Amino acid sequence: MQAHTESVRMFGGDPREFNGDLLVYPVEEDIPHLAANAPRSLHRVLQQGWAAGDFKGKKEQALLFYPGLLDRGDEPPVQARRVLFVGLGKQDDNIDVRREQLRLAGGVIARQAGTVKAAEVLVVLPGDFLLAAVEIAQCLTEGLVLGNYRFDPYKTPREDSDQPGRVAVFHLHHGTLAATAVTEGMTRGRVLAEAVCTARDMANQPGNGWTPAEFADYGKKIARQSTLKCKVLDKSALQKLGMGGILAVNQGSALPPCLVVLEYRTSRKHPTVLLVGKGLTFDSGGICVKPPAGMEDMKYDMCGGAAVITAMQAIAETGVAGVNVVGLIPATENLAGPAALKPGDIIRQYGGRSVEIINTDAEGRLILADALAYGIETYKPEAVIDLATLTGAVIIGLGHHRTGLLANHDALAERLLAAGSEAGEPLWRLPLGPEYRKQLDSRVADIKNAGSDRSAGTITAACYLQEFVGDTPWVHLDIAGTAWDCTEKSYIPKGPSGTGVRTLAALLRHWQPLPAAGASPGDAQQP
């Protein structure tokens, strides 16, 4: 794991006295003015750029210049080496759109800073942006840190490299906003963004660099550094508990499996939310081996587990009230070793249900089913959310732009849809129903792990998981399309996105007890 050395700090002085590499002013479209206390010379540059049509404040637009070349009259000089205007786009009535405008602007700032190899950057927050100060600071900070992300621990450093640099320190100036609110938002945004960057690191690691043991070690590490409690169920414990799904998938691997359990506790009187993340650290498909082309991407099959473990880390650091949170990460490889699971085999999941194996590449549901059944029986949660790179079918249906959501509880589904919108990680609800469940009927076992054909693959995979949650309110997030090669944005690079971390944090920060009524299979709904 690489260390994320960037930091975000408050700057209390006059912005013109900042002597770092880059001074930044975000500007809204069609509102050609800076903060009232900005230097007049910078106002003139903005007006000239506006009149020339070179900079209008449009979304992700940028104008970079050197203040030392300006005629400043009798003004004190701007000490920064460079000044950047970055566009926010048009004002919008949708609060989630406004949040995203700030993240995108933060990503543009980080990219521009990387291009000029700026080590220290000061951003003056917009005082008249239609959003609360704490949210302005949080969202802009998220964009800055996420846009600053690089993964290069395996590259040999070169002094003559023309690759973009990484900002060492971002400074925020509160402008006309309340400094205490800005500090609060900045801190939350930094914690969440750094958690996402850590999830990206885990996914970027090769299969021989991130194994089930690394999941276990990281869980123990963050527990030592926080109020989290961690326990790791090793192979012998899984055997005693009868977790036949995890053990069956692991049969072809030389590395032992584990189940990482993290607990965040507030009070016994509070409800518990269970998070489960698929930790398949490499997936060859097993005996039903995947095509060689693109198989290297199967190191990303643990992105659900990465999202859950880093979300737990962020929750412990920022704190959430009125709810206990338990995170489970079932971790293993799926390889075609001599003892590997075979099509036609019958296994037993936790709790005793027999499963006919139709396809060894439908393995994620096997390890998730054990974790879901065990977690529900052990912790009696009020709600369960699982995240998994579960099916290629979700990419066919939704592309790389939205995560597939399936649920047995309407109110919980609506909360996830809202949390995803708030975080800029959009979700789309798909249906569940007995007509899909019939595709999993087996002649020789209680259920089979895949349908006889490929139709409705995302839905039938969720139907399999639904068998193991009972009446507990549950949402399944299929992140196969968004965990990597997600919609590329200024703050989302090619490769792993770290999706899910901020959505889970937003959900839990606003947690209220679920209504008793409203549970249903759920028809397809738009967010």
Side-chain angles (χ1 to χ4, degrees):
M1 294 289 294
Q2 64 179 351
H4 294 287
T5 56
E6 77 272 3
S7 62
V8 189
R9 305 172 187 167
M10 290 291 290
F11 182 84
D14 186 330
R16 77 184 74 209
E17 297 174 357
F18 172 72
N19 62 0
D21 301 294
L22 188 64
L23 171 62
V24 184
Y25 286 88
V27 180
E28 288 191 88
E29 187 172 351
D30 297 331
I31 306 179
H33 63 80
L34 303 176
N37 57 353
R40 292 190 300 276
S41 59
L42 302 189
H43 276 289
R44 289 194 294 271
V45 173
L46 177 60
Q47 296 295 334
Q48 290 170 2
W50 208 279
D54 296 334
F55 181 81
K56 293 285 189 177
K58 294 180 180 179
K59 184 174 67 174
E60 300 189 64
Q61 197 175 33
L63 177 64
L64 180 72
F65 59 95
Y66 301 93
L69 300 177
L70 302 180
D71 177 10
R72 61 179 188 272
D74 58 353
E75 283 188 316
V78 173
Q79 299 292 333
R81 294 177 64 189
R82 306 170 186 86
V83 174
L84 178 72
F85 296 150
V86 61
L88 293 168
K90 290 183 178 291
Q91 288 191 357
D92 197 288
D93 293 336
N94 187 319
I95 191 171
D96 290 334
V97 171
R98 293 202 292 272
R99 292 181 175 115
E100 188 68 357
Q101 287 174 321
L102 290 164
R103 293 189 196 100
L104 291 170
V108 171
I109 293 165
R111 284 188 178 183
Q112 290 281 336
T115 299
V116 299
K117 293 181 167 51
E120 288 199 52
V121 176
L122 171 62
V123 184
V124 181
L125 299 186
D128 54 356
F129 193 74
L130 300 177
L131 202 64
V134 66
E135 297 227 64
I136 292 174
Q138 176 183 336
C139 295
L140 190 60
T141 299
E142 288 176 7
L144 292 170
V145 176
L146 294 174
N148 197 40
Y149 179 79
R150 308 283 188 277
F151 184 81
D152 53 14
Y154 293 97
K155 284 185 171 288
T156 302
R158 291 172 45 194
E159 290 186 5
D160 61 343
S161 174
D162 59 357
Q163 292 298 309
R166 183 186 287 117
V167 176
V169 183
F170 290 106
H171 302 270
L172 296 187
H173 189 279
H174 61 84
T176 59
L177 303 174
T180 52
V182 169
T183 300
E184 178 187 346
M186 178 191 72
T187 301
R188 187 190 301 151
R190 176 190 58 78
V191 169
L192 292 175
E194 287 179 354
V196 173
C197 290
T198 300
R200 290 175 180 175
D201 281 351
M202 293 175 182
N204 267 315
Q205 286 286 349
N208 61 343
W210 193 264
T211 67
E214 268 70 37
F215 264 127
D217 291 344
Y218 194 79
K220 294 173 184 176
K221 174 184 173 181
I222 60 176
R224 288 193 299 269
Q225 297 172 346
S226 69
T227 59
L228 294 173
K229 293 182 179 179
C230 178
K231 67 178 178 180
V232 177
L233 303 181
D234 60 13
K235 186 173 183 178
S236 63
L238 299 178
Q239 290 170 332
K240 290 177 183 177
L241 289 166
M243 293 199 179
I246 301 174
L247 294 166
V249 174
N250 181 252
Q251 286 174 198
S253 173
L255 301 178
C258 64
L259 178 64
V260 182
V261 182
L262 290 164
E263 298 182 36
Y264 173 84
R265 294 289 180 187
T266 53
S267 170
R268 289 185 178 181
K269 67 181 181 181
H270 293 153
T272 294
V273 174
L274 177 67
L275 309 177
V276 180
K278 176 185 173 185
L280 218 297
T281 58
F282 190 82
D283 179 22
S284 73
I287 293 294
C288 302
V289 66
K290 295 176 181 290
M295 196 192 290
E296 67 274 11
D297 287 346
M298 289 302 98
K299 66 180 183 177
Y300 299 146
D301 213 13
M302 38 58 71
C303 286
V308 167
I309 201 168
T310 55
M312 293 296 297
Q313 175 184 350
I315 288 164
E317 192 166 347
T318 61
V320 294
V323 64
N324 304 306
V325 188
V326 176
L328 302 183
I329 301 95
T332 181
E333 296 178 316
N334 182 29
L335 300 178
L341 187 67
K342 305 177 295 297
D345 285 357
I346 296 178
I347 68 167
R348 290 193 182 275
Q349 299 268 193
Y350 179 85
R353 186 165 304 191
S354 62
V355 181
E356 178 188 8
I357 303 302
I358 301 298
N359 187 341
T360 64
D361 195 24
E363 86 300 326
R365 65 202 70 182
L366 301 179
I367 70 172
L368 287 171
D370 278 349
L372 288 166
Y374 169 78
I376 289 170
E377 181 180 285
T378 304
Y379 297 101
K380 307 294 188 296
E382 180 182 44
V384 183
I385 300 102
D386 77 76
L387 294 85
T389 50
L390 206 61
T391 68
V394 78
I395 304 175
I396 302 302
L398 299 177
H400 293 278
H401 310 299
R402 290 181 182 269
T403 290
L405 180 153
L406 301 100
N408 68 357
H409 194 279
D410 293 333
L412 183 59
E414 289 298 325
R415 290 188 187 185
L416 261 299
L417 290 166
S421 181
E422 177 181 330
E425 298 179 336
L427 315 170
W428 192 268
R429 191 173 181 184
L430 299 171
L432 283 173
E435 65 274 20
Y436 297 105
R437 167 60 180 83
K438 288 179 181 178
Q439 294 177 230
L440 301 179
D441 287 343
S442 169
R443 292 186 299 104
V444 295
D446 295 328
I447 192 173
K448 57 186 180 183
N449 78 323
S452 301
D453 58 39
R454 301 179 66 184
S455 63
T458 299
I459 298 171
T460 56
C463 287
Y464 187 90
L465 298 179
Q466 189 177 18
E467 293 288 305
F468 299 89
V469 300
D471 295 328
T472 304
W474 157 77
V475 165
H476 163 61
L477 300 180
D478 193 332
I479 61 172
T482 52
W484 74 93
D485 291 345
C486 185
T487 307
E488 193 172 350
K489 301 178 183 178
S490 63
Y491 67 90
I492 299 180
K494 292 182 179 179
S497 64
T499 195
V501 177
R502 292 180 300 110
T503 294
L504 292 175
L507 173 78
L508 292 164
R509 186 160 61 91
H510 304 311
W511 190 261
Q512 295 292 329
L514 282 173
S520 70
D523 296 322
Q525 297 178 12
Q526 293 187 171

